[in-house]
Amino acid sequence: MKVLNLYAGIGGNRKLWPAECEVTAVELDPEIAAIYQKNFPQDTVIVGDANAYILAHLKEFDFIWTSPPCQTHSDIRRMR
């Protein structure tokens, strides 16, 4: 099964998925993406915008997991 993991972070949810899954992870922050890649070297990690990636690649995956940042961790909470 081809899985797209958007807003992947360091891969907290990934550890629950079967190793047989072919996972592409998208993470905006390069440092966080590097941690994900270290934790899951078999996965493909894309450093980039999750929204742009899904628009370009939606039909390539069997399952899409999306876990955007929580409001308490997002910069949007400081905007008025």
Side-chain angles (χ1 to χ4, degrees), residues 56-68:
H57 300 276
L58 176 66
K59 296 184 185 245
E60 298 172 23
F61 297 93
D62 302 309
F63 178 78
I64 298 171
W65 176 271
T66 180
S67 182

Side-chain angles (χ1 to χ4, degrees), residues 28-71:
L28 186 61
D29 186 312
E31 291 178 14
I32 294 174
I35 295 169
Y36 182 107
Q37 188 71 82
K38 183 178 177 184
N39 290 339
F40 303 97
Q42 72 279 12
D43 293 359
T44 300
V45 178
I46 307 294
V47 176
D49 180 79
N51 295 319
Y53 193 87
I54 196 170
L55 288 173
H57 300 276
L58 176 66
K59 296 184 185 245
E60 298 172 23
F61 297 93
D62 302 309
F63 178 78
I64 298 171
W65 176 271
T66 180
S67 182
C70 299
Q71 291 84 350

Side-chain angles (χ1 to χ4, degrees), residues 1-35:
M1 177 184 323
K2 290 184 71 172
V3 176
L4 178 58
N5 185 5
L6 298 175
Y7 311 97
I10 62 171
N13 56 344
R14 172 61 173 104
K15 65 184 175 191
L16 302 174
W17 303 345
E20 299 81 30
C21 290
E22 182 183 332
V23 178
T24 299
V26 181
E27 171 55 46
L28 186 61
D29 186 312
E31 291 178 14
I32 294 174
I35 295 169

